[in-house]
Amino acid sequence: MSAAPLVGYSSSGSEDEDEAEAGRQARPGAGCRPRAQSPLPSQRLPVPDSVLHMFPGTEEGPEDDSAKHGGRVRSFPHERGNWATHVYVPYEAGEEFPDLLDALLPHAQTHVPRLVRMEAFHLSLSQSVVLRHHWILPFVQALKGRVASRQRFCFTADRVKIYTNEEKTRTFVGLEVTSGHAQFLDLVSEVDRVMEEFDLTTFYKDPSFHISLAWCVGDARLQLEGQCLRELQEIVDEFEDSEMLLRVHAAQVRCKSGNKFFSMPLK
């Protein structure tokens, strides 16, 4: 197992979620058969190549082009009617959080120039899993029933840590949770029960809850750990009011399935 903790993300953030199930072929109407006419011999004419190539990828699904997704590679193959699904707690950053990122990321980019800032911030409660379209609403309803009784809580994420996804095709610079870990474990236990009900993969054992700040393609642990990691931690520790800034209220659980979002408030 990698020395760096794993991150529960799909390696591609752009799924073709809105595909409908293929319709059934229309059944021809019953007609009258001439009495004296003998059936024609069954023959299959060859299909022209121009027709065969009119709809490329129809059977196999859309072609994966990592260049369209910042070089990211799918963790699982696309299949028609499947929706990538992820459960998490959104991170409601304070007004000065972007200032902290402005101090951290340029320093990290001196070691790994290809690092890119995350567009949104969250803490994962599940791995990325695949749901069939007709299971999405039952899955969300089951989640709501599980987390509805859980209390809101405060947590702090102020320890800089380097992560990779399971395939080691992406590396992340993150802030690890240092208080509130037990409450996140309680939420994961509820999410895991729903995953088991739907025969899906549960979360990692002994998870490291964290907020990913930036990412890059490939395994960049060698460049980011060691001296770089210590310098990033110093920036966080010396940032003005960082203790208050990085203490955040967890008020809801959110589920993203394809391009749809479902919010579930905590009690």
Side-chain angles (χ1 to χ4, degrees):
M1 184 171 177
S2 168
L6 302 178
V7 180
Y9 298 116
S10 166
S11 291
S12 173
S14 56
E15 302 298 325
D16 299 321
E17 300 90 356
D18 293 322
E19 291 182 338
E21 294 294 335
R24 296 183 178 179
Q25 185 176 359
R27 181 180 179 182
C32 295
R33 186 171 55 188
R35 288 176 294 177
Q37 187 175 355
S38 59
L40 293 173
S42 176
Q43 293 182 345
R44 295 188 63 183
L45 297 177
V47 180
D49 287 342
S50 59
V51 175
L52 286 173
H53 294 93
M54 284 176 66
F55 307 104
T58 300
E59 294 298 325
E60 294 82 5
E63 180 182 356
D64 286 331
D65 185 354
S66 62
K68 296 179 180 179
H69 312 301
R72 292 173 291 184
V73 180
R74 292 183 187 273
S75 295
F76 38 78
H78 173 88
E79 290 185 22
R80 194 180 190 89
N82 284 354
W83 291 44
T85 302
H86 178 223
V87 184
Y88 61 93
V89 170
Y91 184 73
E92 305 295 340
E95 292 183 0
E96 296 179 0
F97 190 70
D99 296 334
L100 176 58
L101 293 183
D102 289 341
L104 282 171
L105 295 191
H107 188 84
Q109 287 167 336
T110 62
H111 296 266
V112 180
R114 64 184 185 275
L115 277 169
V116 178
R117 181 183 300 205
M118 300 292 288
E119 296 179 359
F121 307 101
H122 66 267
L123 298 95
S124 293
L125 300 177
S126 79
Q127 299 192 52
S128 290
V129 296
V130 175
L131 275 179
R132 298 295 291 174
H133 181 269
H134 59 277
W135 285 117
I136 294 174
L137 289 182
F139 179 84
V140 171
Q141 290 300 323
L143 272 178
K144 286 182 178 180
R146 284 289 182 186
V147 306
S149 61
R150 292 293 175 179
Q151 299 285 339
R152 302 181 182 193
F153 61 94
C154 289
F155 67 93
T156 300
D158 58 2
R159 180 184 297 139
V160 183
K161 204 161 185 176
I162 308 303
Y163 298 86
T164 64
N165 64 345
E166 191 167 3
E167 300 81 14
K168 296 181 179 60
T169 58
R170 284 198 286 169
T171 302
F172 300 84
V173 178
L175 288 176
E176 185 183 30
V177 168
T178 54
S179 70
H181 186 85
Q183 290 90 333
F184 278 107
L185 283 177
D186 289 341
L187 286 177
V188 166
S189 68
E190 300 293 0
V191 174
D192 276 352
R193 291 183 182 183
V194 177
M195 293 292 180
E196 290 169 350
E197 291 175 15
F198 286 79
D199 198 24
L200 298 170
T201 305
T202 56
F203 204 41
Y204 302 108
K205 302 299 181 185
D206 302 320
S208 171
F209 299 108
H210 64 279
I211 307 148
S212 291
L213 307 177
W215 69 278
C216 69
V217 172
D219 186 349
R221 289 173 298 167
L222 185 62
Q223 300 97 309
L224 291 171
E225 291 178 340
Q227 182 64 28
C228 177
L229 183 62
R230 289 190 292 271
E231 292 168 354
L232 294 176
Q233 187 63 59
E234 288 176 4
I235 293 173
V236 171
D237 294 341
E238 295 172 4
F239 191 81
E240 185 177 1
D241 296 328
S242 64
E243 184 176 351
M244 293 297 298
L245 175 64
L246 298 176
R247 184 167 178 79
V248 178
H249 200 210
Q252 63 174 304
V253 170
R254 190 171 293 171
C255 176
K256 179 180 185 294
S257 193
N259 61 355
K260 299 182 183 298
F261 294 84
F262 305 89
S263 295
M264 291 149 273
L266 300 175
K267 190 174 179 181

